[in-house]
Amino acid sequence: MGQARSSDEVTVIVSVFAMLPTAAPTASHRFAALLHVVHVAAALLSSVRHAALFVTSVLAVYLLQPATPIAHLDFWLPSASLLLVVVVWCATQPLRLEAMRETLVTAGLIAGLVLGIGALGITTQLCCVVTRMPPPNILVVAAAVAGGVLTCILVAIVFAGHPARTTWLVFALIALLVAVKLNWPISGADAPQAETASPAPPTFATIQWLGFSYIAFRLIHALRERALGKLPVMSLREFMTYVVFFPAIIAGPIDRVERFLKDLRAPFIFNMSDLVEGGRRLLIGVFKKFVIADALAIIALNDALAVQTQPGLWAWVLLYAYAFRIFFDFSGYTDMAIGLGRLFGIKLPENFNRPYLKPNLTQFWNSWHMTLAQWFRTYYFNPLTRALRMRNIAPPLIIFVTQTTTMLLIGLWHGLTWNFALWGVWHALGLFMHSRWSEFARARFGAQDASKLQWVTHLGGVVLTFHFVAFGWVWFALSNVETSLTFFRRLFGMP
Amino acid sequence: MNANINFYIRASLKALALFIAFNVVLVFVDPMPVIARLSVYNLLVPGRERLPHARQPSREYGVTTSNLDVMFNTHVIHGRVKTADEYRVVVLGDSAAWGWKLRPAETMVGAMNAQNLITPDGRKVRVYNLGYPIASAMRDLLLLDYAMRYRPDMIIWMVTFETLNDKTRFDHPLVRDNGTQVRSLNERYSLEADPALWELGYRDRTLFGLRRKIMADAFRLQLYGLPWAATGIDHDYFSPYDRVSRDLKEGDLFYDIPPKTLNEDEMTWDVVAAMHQLAGERPLLIVNEPILIADGKNSDVRYNNVYPRWIFDQYRALMLSKSAQEGWNYLDLWDLIPPDQFTDNEFHMTPNANRILARSIEAWMIEQWAKPEAAMKSP
Amino acid sequence: MNSNDITHTLSTYVTTQILKQPKRILKGDEPLISSGLIDSFHLVDLGLFIEDKFGVRIEDSELNADTFDTLDQLVVLIQSRQ
């Protein structure tokens, strides 16, 4: 019933527009033919939705990968992403003969796309249509694809029926994450150089692997679910679409595979409701990111401004600007992702829930980058807390250890620098202080429902929490400890 | 749900209609004078000490824009209402006057303001920097014409040969982008400008063309007012640069021109005359700005890598004779500054050199005020 | 156990062990997690308690407001798994 209504709506809209140029009555059967075509097209598009999403997402991994200083890495990194997805799929899915044909078709498609992108390198006009720089030699690519296939077969054999072995892959992914986030010295040959005679000192940079932080976390999620025996059975095509789903590649959200599959497997037809909701969300995201956030970026705190600014008022302006800039930037990206997903009937989870209006830090962390916080709770905080609770350790100590390590890891997930670590620890301390204060306040003041005072404490909490988070952003926004300390001095009027 | 979707469709159609109407209106109406009036400068943040010009906006906290209203609305001259006790001096010129690789306080204008001069009739002298990169007499005429609304009492014009060289007279971006004003100047002073300069095509007038860029630049310039206020930075004067070479290239070409006689009509005397007409009763001083006189290789043939001796000597001679003939105030300071006081090119000088330059000009100003016939005009 | 008993047991546990406000009365539709009343640590404790008391396992991935936020929702969840 719902489906029929949706397609009727499409019909109505299209027919209204079609009617405008063809007002003549003799157009009536051209009209009917047009409506029929539209019906068929909508139905067709809906049935190929999955295939379309799959292919687009695989290509998007290459298209969105930024150029790298090291040659060919902008081809190999996306290829490695795809390989990791297939490997994890092979390691977590039971061997099913009835699915073999579909798996081979999908694998062939992936291999074909990879080889195709590599083959573009042979031409001169098309070479950089997908990747930024020319891809490596096609023979090398072919060898790599072959190697990848063999790896996956091997993995499938080793891991079939042994869910506990997936832990090794989890460790491998974590190690890979660490490696990606480390600052590697770029040798002189690869770094962009000035034309001075003296050799440039080695510059350091992290490997710019598009979306890898998110991909790794989705893969670890799948591996952990498999170890717990809770991973649904799915095709390679479904899993690949989930991990590299193109709206969520750049900045998440981190969806859960079961929820994603539910939407993906549901019968879908293009309808006005999804189009309108998705379109609206997408537009809001575009506005937040490209208008508000990019304008705020001009007045927001950064390394240069932190040391250049006069002490006092202007430092606070820079700080507030950053706090709002990062919110609009990140939530804008999330809105775009959710909007795009919605256009195709995938309802991605929310990542933000008015974080700056929360009266305490605990609730802030329930409303900022929600999917990441949830991931860490599910796979680190909760299991660790359970384990520690079994032993006879005082709860405050457990809270301190678990919260601090969790926030530290969340900080380091953003980058392996002292500043990100300190940002994490800052929030951990705040959370711990809030939890102690909460316990104290509840015991001391009881459940006072004095509504007069409540809005005052609420407002005070919001202001306090916002400023605590804002100070935390100083660590997050700047790249080294010295600059951060300098800026803190500037905030309080000292040079 | 039906009502919901109808609402969205109606809204989208309305938006589309508005967008089309907006563009049609933009073809006929220029919103910039109104938009330019909205400025955080001189209101929420201090005015800029010099006209905005930035090659790297994110580092220099500025935007290069050609819209005169937007440029001047950020300038400190716009914010300061002229009081009875202010003696207003404007300085025009190229990047040397603007202060390339210098903080505003280190420019010639900054040095002059630091002196806190007082005129004989007790007015405080305040100098305003209206210099702008790339020498161009036509550009300076354009800026002076605009600046007259701020009622200057004295005009100091820093020139060099390239300012008055006819070949590049209409080449400056500010001249190209301000066709309407150029047309008006052309008519007033018969300057022979190319009409193509002020004919903006329909496409350029709409949102998608020049006007959209102007509005976007104006908006960004407003945003940059904040880091400008927080840091006082309006130019990248902190990056290292290579010192200008005092060993010169071979040959005696001026660009690709071999030695020849410099004709009078190769100079833009009509623009200079127009400047004087515009200045009216106000004293206008033309200064031949200091240049690098190199002392290394080939310096017997060339003064520096821009000027071979043959052309610069002829230029100086022409300037001297023409200004004597026309009764123009002219100060030839070409050799005032020793070669080690030049920074990244043949015209940009150190703060120290700018102080020396400022003293010379101040000396002329004081001399000027002392003359009985230069009766100090009331503001 | 009927749902009233479950509600009472849970409510008592939350008010005495987590909130440390034994006299407090929790409403069945009062948001517990999204309001910050029960933080992540105490949520784990609650999960352990439910496992002990009702033999119902709530997974790590389910200890959040999307799975249950109020007492009523929690009761329904427990009953569905017994």
Side-chain angles (χ1 to χ4, degrees):
Chain A
M1 163 58 176
Q3 278 189 4
R5 172 176 264 170
S6 308
S7 63
D8 279 346
E9 276 153 6
V10 173
T11 306
V12 164
I13 305 311
V14 171
S15 54
V16 166
F17 278 104
M19 222 191 294
L20 293 172
T22 62
T26 53
S28 62
H29 44 250
R30 252 191 293 159
F31 211 44
L34 177 67
L35 289 183
H36 183 71
V37 167
V38 167
H39 262 291
V40 171
L44 201 70
L45 271 172
S46 308
S47 70
V48 302
R49 172 185 69 148
H50 188 181
L53 288 177
F54 169 75
V55 171
T56 312
S57 298
V58 170
L59 288 175
V61 185
Y62 289 91
L63 284 165
L64 296 169
Q65 169 69 37
T68 52
I70 303 171
H72 298 319
L73 220 52
D74 64 335
F75 175 84
W76 291 122
L77 290 177
S79 306
S81 296
L82 298 176
L83 178 63
L84 284 170
V85 175
V86 183
V87 162
V88 169
W89 182 84
C90 289
T92 57
Q93 293 293 309
L95 296 167
R96 293 177 300 140
L97 285 168
E98 68 274 18
M100 194 58 71
R101 189 174 152 272
E102 191 193 5
T103 308
L104 286 173
V105 167
T106 308
L109 192 52
I110 298 174
L113 284 167
V114 174
L115 283 166
I117 295 171
L120 288 176
I122 299 175
T123 68
T124 38
Q125 297 99 319
L126 296 173
C127 79
C128 306
V129 162
V130 179
T131 51
R132 303 272 150 110
M133 307 297 283
N137 190 310
I138 186 64
L139 295 171
V140 177
V141 174
V145 169
V149 170
L150 286 171
T151 310
C152 296
I153 296 174
L154 202 67
V155 163
I157 295 169
V158 167
F159 285 84
H162 294 101
R165 288 185 189 172
T166 54
T167 318
W168 290 108
L169 282 178
V170 174
F171 286 136
L173 280 168
I174 293 174
L176 200 53
L177 255 178
V178 171
V180 168
K181 297 215 175 268
L182 281 171
N183 274 304
W184 298 94
I186 300 179
S187 75
D190 297 318
Q193 284 240 47
E195 286 127 29
T196 50
S198 57
T203 40
F204 291 85
T206 55
I207 300 174
Q208 299 292 326
W209 190 340
L210 174 90
F212 183 66
S213 306
Y214 294 97
I215 290 173
F217 268 35
R218 292 192 192 104
L219 292 176
I220 294 175
H221 152 67
L223 289 164
R224 293 304 302 148
E225 293 299 300
R226 165 67 177 143
L228 294 165
K230 300 216 163 261
L231 189 69
V233 172
M234 60 189 133
S235 71
L236 175 58
R237 192 168 63 150
E238 286 172 327
F239 189 59
M240 178 67 80
T241 311
Y242 159 71
V243 180
V244 299
F245 189 49
F246 73 89
I249 263 190
I250 297 179
I254 303 173
D255 202 353
R256 293 185 62 79
V257 67
E258 210 169 331
R259 201 221 60 76
F260 186 86
L261 286 179
K262 195 159 62 89
D263 285 344
L264 194 61
R265 288 173 176 170
F268 172 75
I269 187 157
F270 275 110
N271 63 79
M272 281 311 276
S273 174
D274 279 349
L275 272 172
V276 160
E277 275 310 302
R280 198 184 116 247
R281 197 70 192 262
L282 179 60
L283 242 109
I284 290 176
V286 166
F287 184 74
K288 276 161 105 170
K289 157 77 182 133
F290 293 107
V291 176
I292 302 185
D294 284 356
L296 284 172
I298 289 177
I299 59 181
L301 176 65
N302 60 43
D303 282 330
L305 284 170
V307 296
Q308 291 166 352
T309 183
Q310 295 165 32
L313 172 67
W314 288 115
W316 287 89
V317 174
L318 297 175
L319 184 64
Y320 288 143
Y322 184 85
F324 286 105
R325 182 253 175 127
I326 190 171
F327 169 69
F328 281 107
D329 197 291
F330 201 176
S331 70
Y333 256 127
T334 304
D335 285 337
M336 290 198 287
I338 293 177
L340 263 179
R342 184 65 189 270
L343 288 179
F344 299 102
I346 309 282
K347 298 189 180 71
L348 292 171
E350 293 292 334
N351 240 355
F352 294 92
N353 182 17
R354 305 180 174 182
Y356 288 148
L357 295 178
K358 295 295 188 266
N360 60 63
L361 204 59
T362 305
Q363 280 187 271
F364 173 80
W365 276 105
N366 281 341
S367 50
W368 180 280
H369 207 167
M370 284 152 53
T371 56
L372 183 75
Q374 197 48 46
W375 190 100
F376 269 102
R377 276 196 205 106
T378 307
Y379 296 115
Y380 179 76
F381 182 88
N382 288 348
L384 182 63
T385 307
R386 271 190 217 260
L388 290 179
R389 212 65 181 100
M390 299 304 196
R391 299 150 200 268
N392 223 355
I393 310 175
L397 184 60
I398 299 182
I399 295 176
F400 182 76
V401 167
T402 52
Q403 269 180 350
T404 310
T405 52
T406 305
M407 292 316 298
L408 187 60
L409 286 174
I410 291 183
L412 292 174
W413 176 86
H414 289 86
L416 289 173
T417 67
W418 284 111
N419 271 54
F420 283 125
L422 285 165
W423 173 76
V425 170
W426 174 263
H427 275 273
L429 290 175
L431 284 168
F432 188 68
M433 284 194 297
H434 174 247
S435 78
R436 297 303 91 209
W437 163 259
S438 265
E439 283 205 14
F440 169 78
R442 278 199 290 258
R444 183 81 160 72
F445 303 120
Q448 282 173 344
D449 247 338
S451 50
K452 272 216 178 103
L453 224 61
Q454 241 185 23
W455 74 265
V456 170
T457 46
H458 183 93
L459 188 64
V462 170
V463 171
L464 198 65
T465 307
F466 174 78
H467 282 87
F468 186 87
V469 172
F471 288 140
W473 288 136
V474 175
W475 299 108
F476 196 86
L478 304 177
S479 64
N480 62 68
V481 176
E482 199 187 324
T483 313
S484 312
L485 292 175
T486 304
F487 185 72
F488 274 118
R489 282 206 305 276
R490 299 275 162 91
L491 277 176
F492 295 104
M494 296 180 269
Chain B
M1 192 169 84
N2 237 342
N4 221 1
I5 284 140
N6 283 340
F7 165 76
Y8 279 116
I9 293 174
R10 272 204 301 275
S12 313
L13 286 175
K14 275 189 196 155
L16 187 65
L18 268 171
F19 185 73
I20 294 172
F22 185 61
N23 272 275
V24 166
V25 168
L26 262 190
V27 169
F28 299 105
V29 173
D30 182 3
M32 278 321 293
V34 174
I35 291 179
R37 216 143 284 165
L38 309 163
S39 177
V40 300
Y41 292 91
N42 300 306
L43 188 69
L44 298 174
V45 305
R48 286 177 178 263
E49 293 289 325
R50 48 191 167 184
L51 294 168
H53 181 92
R55 283 196 192 154
Q56 298 175 68
S58 58
R59 278 168 62 91
E60 301 182 284
Y61 309 137
V63 174
T64 309
T65 177
S66 295
N67 187 289
L68 293 175
D69 289 321
V70 170
M71 284 168 62
F72 274 92
N73 282 352
T74 68
H75 199 284
V76 66
I77 199 175
H78 182 80
R80 217 163 278 188
V81 175
K82 192 176 172 203
T83 52
D85 68 338
E86 181 183 349
Y87 187 82
R88 201 164 259 204
V89 181
V90 295
V91 170
L92 299 155
D94 57 12
S95 51
W98 188 84
W100 202 260
K101 285 287 169 220
L102 297 170
R103 292 175 172 75
E106 297 168 336
T107 61
M108 181 192 88
V109 171
M112 289 171 78
N113 277 323
Q115 289 293 94
N116 293 313
L117 294 171
I118 313 241
T119 62
D121 62 350
R123 283 185 280 169
K124 298 196 185 102
V125 177
R126 217 305 189 172
V127 189
Y128 295 89
N129 189 341
L130 299 185
Y132 199 82
I134 304 179
S136 162
M138 194 63 216
R139 187 273 319 281
D140 290 330
L141 179 64
L142 190 63
L143 288 177
L144 181 62
D145 182 52
Y146 191 97
M148 291 313 281
R149 71 191 66 192
Y150 301 114
R151 300 186 295 150
D153 295 302
M154 179 186 276
I155 298 144
I156 296 171
W157 189 16
M158 315 293 292
V159 305
T160 185
F161 174 59
E162 282 172 307
T163 315
L164 304 170
N165 185 0
D166 198 45
K167 286 202 186 320
T168 58
R169 63 187 308 176
F170 293 110
D171 225 5
H172 195 280
L174 280 185
V175 175
R176 284 200 308 267
D177 292 340
N178 285 288
T180 327
Q181 290 90 327
V182 172
R183 184 208 341 220
S184 144
L185 288 168
N186 186 56
E187 278 161 18
R188 265 192 275 159
Y189 305 113
S190 315
L191 299 173
E192 295 169 22
D194 179 359
L197 273 174
W198 52 76
E199 237 103 85
L200 269 183
Y202 275 124
R203 188 192 150 277
D204 284 338
R205 285 207 191 124
T206 59
L207 206 55
F208 292 99
L210 189 62
R211 291 202 177 167
R212 191 189 70 146
K213 183 177 187 307
I214 294 174
M215 288 198 274
D217 283 346
F219 180 61
R220 274 199 310 154
L221 193 49
Q222 293 301 309
L223 287 172
Y224 277 120
L226 255 111
W228 148 252
T231 64
I233 293 172
D234 65 347
H235 176 53
D236 178 10
Y237 40 72
F238 32 79
S239 287
Y241 56 85
D242 287 326
R243 222 43 199 240
V244 62
S245 176
R246 285 150 72 171
D247 287 320
L248 306 176
K249 62 187 179 193
E250 287 300 314
D252 55 1
L253 297 176
F254 175 65
Y255 294 105
D256 54 352
I257 302 167
K260 67 180 186 83
T261 319
L262 191 62
N263 283 324
E264 228 199 57
D265 53 359
E266 286 179 65
M267 310 280 281
T268 57
W269 301 128
D270 52 351
V271 178
V272 181
M275 290 284 271
H276 279 88
Q277 277 186 56
L278 193 50
E281 299 268 328
R282 302 164 191 80
L284 164 62
L285 171 67
I286 304 175
V287 177
N288 190 16
E289 63 185 15
I291 60 163
L292 168 72
I293 301 168
D295 47 1
K297 269 199 300 200
N298 208 24
S299 57
D300 49 338
V301 170
R302 308 185 69 92
Y303 285 121
N304 54 50
N305 277 328
V306 176
Y307 294 137
R309 287 183 178 240
W310 59 266
I311 204 169
F312 198 74
D313 292 339
Q314 287 185 74
Y315 153 67
R316 286 185 57 229
L318 277 173
M319 276 300 293
L320 219 54
S321 70
K322 188 75 174 178
S323 50
Q325 181 190 328
E326 302 286 336
W328 295 339
N329 295 312
Y330 175 61
L331 207 55
D332 192 348
L333 298 178
W334 76 290
D335 58 349
L336 183 68
I337 304 293
D340 66 330
Q341 292 292 310
F342 286 85
T343 57
D344 71 323
N345 81 1
E346 295 80 358
F347 306 94
H348 302 153
M349 302 177 287
T350 60
N352 197 34
N354 275 291
R355 273 194 289 274
I356 298 172
L357 180 58
R359 297 298 94 82
S360 298
I361 294 179
E362 285 154 20
W364 178 87
M365 286 164 73
I366 291 168
E367 211 181 273
Q368 186 70 6
W369 296 326
K371 286 187 194 155
E373 62 267 22
M376 299 291 292
K377 297 284 177 184
S378 43
Chain C
M1 281 178 112
N2 64 35
S3 63
N4 276 335
D5 291 332
I6 300 179
T7 312
H8 179 76
T9 314
L10 287 173
S11 177
T12 311
Y13 179 81
V14 171
T15 52
T16 53
Q17 302 298 323
I18 298 181
L19 300 180
K20 307 274 192 344
Q21 293 171 329
K23 298 214 185 82
R24 183 170 178 156
I25 301 177
L26 283 179
K27 290 192 276 217
D29 60 351
E30 190 173 339
L32 300 169
I33 304 176
S34 60
S35 64
L37 263 182
I38 302 181
D39 65 12
S40 359
F41 170 79
H42 289 108
L43 204 45
V44 174
D45 260 4
L46 182 59
L48 288 169
F49 172 75
I50 291 171
E51 223 172 291
D52 266 340
K53 202 74 180 174
F54 305 108
V56 163
R57 169 92 177 172
I58 305 185
E59 296 299 336
D60 288 330
S61 59
E62 292 172 320
L63 288 170
N64 55 56
D66 290 333
T67 313
F68 66 90
D69 200 14
T70 67
L71 268 183
D72 290 343
Q73 290 167 346
L74 187 50
V75 169
V76 167
L77 179 65
I78 292 171
Q79 284 186 316
S80 69
R81 292 191 183 180
Q82 277 181 319

